[in-house]
Amino acid sequence: MLYREAGDFKTTYAADSQTFPIAFDRWRYWAVLAVAWLVIPFVIDDYWANAILVPFLIYSIAAIGLNILTGYCGQVSLGTGGFMAVGAYSVYKLMTAFPDVSMLIHVVLAGFITAAVGAAFGLPSLRIKGFYLAVATLAAQFFLVWLFNKVPWFYNYSASGQISAPERFVGGIAVTGAGTAPAAQYLICLFFVTLCALLARNLTRGSVGRKWMAIRDMDIAAEIIGVNPLTAKLSAFAVSSFFIGIAGALFFAVYLGAVEVGEAFGIQKSFLVLFMCIIGGLGSIFGSFAGAAFLVLLPVALKVLGVDLLGWPSSTVAHLQLVAVGALIMFFLIKEPHGLAQLWRIAKEKLRLWPFPY
């Protein structure tokens, strides 16, 4: 009986158009933030940080970025892995060139560099769309991976071709390097997730987001009513790449510590983030979190069930994971194109009306 609108009166336009119109949703939102910021950092350990929470937070940022481009603006992209590599190599060059600058500034600057690269590769969207745009972004993926492999300047002429994150501190606490505490890894990722989610939510609810959605629904009609397709599409590519660049920077510097571009940011990474958006729900910020959580928890759950409990070979469980993800993608594309976010919305509508049928 808590999930009700009765008695929750709106007296201003701002209250009437707020993100969470029901009081219980607002309490739940603040409770989740309180647990995330005030409880989890004190109980987290290496396993929870490296296996679940840190990859979930990083992939959530990447999924939000791709959802802005594909879900809100309707521009298909298969270059997410390449743009994450731009963020990773940008933050690496910044960390080694300016060791006295804060790590937080490095990550943000890496996002801006990735935004510029993404906007440049988004120029073909002014003339092509759909399958042809997907192929163009796929070309960007392969080109960027080739570039970071073949130009030694990007990895500081290392003999191995890998890049390794040097130790850096924020407020006297190490956030990169071998000696980083799990709580520090978690908190720096949570900081950027919170900022990116708030920024994305406000952008998509404002005039910029309405322009993106107008382009997505029908670009010719949007242009007729005054939406400039040049600025709308390129801004979507830039904002999307900004978030993806931040995710790539955190993925390298905070999570992995050392990467080789072909292994860490190959085409499989682009498809993984795209699958997160499809399963979670296109055009939904919550769907980005839901899809990231689902695909981060799925391998862990299958390993516990298949290897630990049933004694199956790990190779069998790995193949079963691919089958499960493929089946889920087909299911959501056919039965529920808006993904887990739509199922969550339906469940909330049922709760609002319960016990009445309508």
Side-chain angles (χ1 to χ4, degrees):
M1 300 299 289
L2 294 174
Y3 202 73
R4 290 288 185 271
E5 287 186 84
D8 191 3
F9 301 111
K10 310 296 190 301
T11 57
T12 63
Y13 286 116
D16 195 43
S17 60
Q18 60 189 327
T19 300
F20 301 110
I22 300 178
F24 185 82
D25 281 337
R26 296 193 291 274
W27 300 338
R28 175 173 51 83
Y29 169 76
W30 289 112
V32 169
L33 278 183
V35 171
W37 280 99
L38 302 177
V39 177
I40 293 179
F42 297 100
V43 298
I44 194 173
D45 57 17
D46 282 329
Y47 174 78
W48 279 93
N50 293 317
I52 298 174
L53 291 176
V54 171
F56 159 67
L57 294 174
I58 293 172
Y59 282 128
S60 295
I61 300 176
I64 289 173
L66 184 59
N67 227 332
I68 286 176
L69 182 62
T70 303
Y72 283 98
C73 197
Q75 309 301 301
V76 182
S77 174
L78 295 177
T80 308
F83 295 133
M84 288 181 71
V86 174
Y89 278 79
S90 298
V91 81
Y92 171 69
K93 296 297 292 185
L94 290 169
M95 290 170 71
T96 53
F98 306 101
D100 297 328
V101 179
S102 171
M103 177 64 188
L104 301 178
I105 297 177
H106 285 155
V107 173
V108 174
L109 289 177
F112 281 114
I113 294 171
T114 312
V117 174
F121 281 104
L123 287 172
S125 66
L126 303 176
R127 294 295 181 187
I128 58 178
K129 56 185 176 181
F131 172 77
Y132 302 99
L133 180 59
V135 173
T137 56
L138 187 62
Q141 163 74 38
F142 290 123
F143 171 75
L144 291 170
V145 171
W146 172 86
L147 181 69
F148 293 130
N149 259 327
K150 296 300 182 182
V151 181
W153 179 82
F154 287 111
Y155 48 85
N156 284 352
Y157 304 95
S158 169
S160 64
Q162 287 188 339
I163 56 174
S164 300
E167 191 175 45
R168 293 293 179 265
F169 298 85
V170 174
I173 300 173
V175 294
T176 63
T180 306
Q185 288 180 302
Y186 168 79
L187 283 173
I188 190 171
C189 292
L190 181 63
F191 171 76
F192 281 105
V193 166
T194 305
L195 290 183
C196 289
L198 289 173
L199 178 60
R201 183 60 179 169
N202 283 281
L203 281 174
T204 54
R205 280 167 55 90
S207 60
V208 176
R210 288 194 292 272
K211 291 177 182 178
W212 290 341
M213 288 181 276
I215 291 291
R216 175 196 65 191
D217 294 338
M218 187 174 292
D219 52 354
I220 297 176
E223 189 173 4
I224 290 173
I225 63 174
V227 175
N228 187 338
L230 170 67
T231 57
K233 290 182 179 181
L234 291 188
S235 65
F237 268 95
V239 173
S240 169
S241 300
F242 175 77
F243 289 153
I244 293 172
I246 288 178
L250 294 174
F251 190 73
F252 152 66
V254 177
Y255 180 49
L256 294 181
V259 299
E260 194 280 322
V261 64
E263 296 179 2
F265 302 109
I267 185 62
Q268 71 277 3
K269 192 68 67 182
S270 298
F271 282 113
L272 176 63
V273 179
L274 179 61
F275 295 160
M276 290 176 181
C277 293
I278 292 174
I279 292 175
L282 290 171
S284 168
I285 303 299
F286 170 77
S288 302
F289 286 98
F294 188 89
L295 287 184
V296 167
L297 290 173
L298 180 64
V300 178
L302 288 177
K303 179 183 179 298
V304 172
L305 178 62
V307 178
D308 298 341
L309 296 181
L310 301 178
W312 293 349
S314 57
S315 59
T316 302
V317 175
H319 288 96
L320 182 62
Q321 176 190 341
L322 297 177
V323 173
V325 171
L328 286 167
I329 290 171
M330 289 189 292
F331 170 79
F332 280 110
L333 287 176
I334 295 171
K335 293 295 185 181
E336 188 49 79
H338 295 289
L340 294 172
Q342 180 65 13
L343 297 180
W344 177 247
R345 280 192 289 265
I346 293 173
K348 291 200 299 182
E349 287 299 318
K350 296 290 185 183
L351 284 174
R352 289 170 69 181
L353 298 174
W354 186 85
F356 304 107
Y358 54 85

